[in-house]
């Protein structure tokens, strides 16, 4: 039973394009939250999440159009996550689709339901996905 549950969990993580971040020397959880928390209070609110998602969208939109193509999101979201976020299936992510993904990841990572993401929540699979997307 435990092996089946582990296999199911690992499969879900792979399909959703999530991973648990590896702990690297000098790359603490505090460092990760500081990278995406604009006011430095060691937590990120939904408003901060949306503003950060919009800023990242603008910064990675290399061709300056109104959408992100898959190559522009490389290293931030997986191919499977890109396809899932592309609600109208046009092969691109609009600002709304990009922000919707950030909102969904925020909600999933916010396990204590206090409407903020703290350092420990970034260590979860969904938190790691949110961090990767917004770094």
């Amino acid at each position: 039973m435990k092996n089946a549950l582990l296999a199911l969990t690992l499969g879900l993580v792979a399909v959703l394009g999530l991973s648990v971040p590896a702990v690297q020397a000098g790359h603490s959880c505090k460092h990760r939250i500081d990278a995406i928390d604009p006011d430095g209070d060691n937590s990120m609110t939904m408003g901060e999440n949306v503003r950060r998602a919009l800023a990242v969208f603008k910064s990675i939109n290399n061709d300056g159009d109104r959408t992100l193509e898959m190559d522009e999101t490389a290293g931030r979201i997986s191919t499977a996550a890109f396809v899932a976020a592309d609600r109208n299936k046009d092969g691109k992510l609009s600002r709304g689709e990009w922000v919707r993904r950030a909102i969904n990841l925020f909600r999933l990572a916010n396990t204590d339901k206090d409407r903020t993401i703290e350092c420990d929540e970034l260590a979860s699979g969904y938190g790691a996905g949110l961090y990767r997307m917004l770094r």
Side-chain angles (χ1 to χ4, degrees):
M1 179 69 174
K2 287 182 183 180
N3 288 340
L5 184 57
L6 178 60
L8 179 63
T9 302
L10 292 175
L12 183 59
V13 166
V15 167
L16 294 175
L18 303 173
S19 67
V20 178
V23 177
Q24 301 171 354
H27 195 259
S28 69
C29 185
K30 172 114 171 69
H31 176 76
R32 287 191 301 273
I33 194 74
D34 286 348
I36 62 173
D37 174 32
D39 62 7
D41 67 351
N42 295 320
S43 66
M44 182 173 45
T45 64
M46 182 64 83
E48 291 170 335
N49 176 50
V50 169
R51 286 189 295 278
R52 178 72 181 172
L54 289 169
V56 169
F57 182 95
K58 184 177 179 179
S59 74
I60 66 175
N61 188 7
N62 297 324
D63 57 10
D65 63 0
R66 301 181 84 163
T67 59
L68 294 176
E69 289 73 33
M70 196 171 301
D71 64 317
E72 292 173 315
T73 65
R76 293 185 185 271
I77 64 174
S78 69
T79 301
F82 185 98
V83 170
D86 182 13
R87 294 173 56 106
N88 65 354
K89 305 303 178 206
D90 65 353
K92 305 171 189 176
L93 296 183
S94 67
R95 282 181 1 155
E97 289 168 332
W98 180 257
V99 170
R100 185 175 291 110
R101 174 153 175 82
I103 289 170
N104 289 339
L105 285 173
F106 183 99
R107 288 181 177 150
L108 291 167
N110 185 223
T111 55
D112 61 7
K113 305 300 179 207
D114 68 349
R115 297 188 287 191
T116 61
I117 297 294
E118 293 85 17
C119 192
D120 62 322
E121 291 168 320
L122 280 183
S124 73
Y126 294 116
L130 181 64
Y131 170 74
R132 229 181 2 266
M133 186 177 171
L134 300 181
R135 69 182 173 5

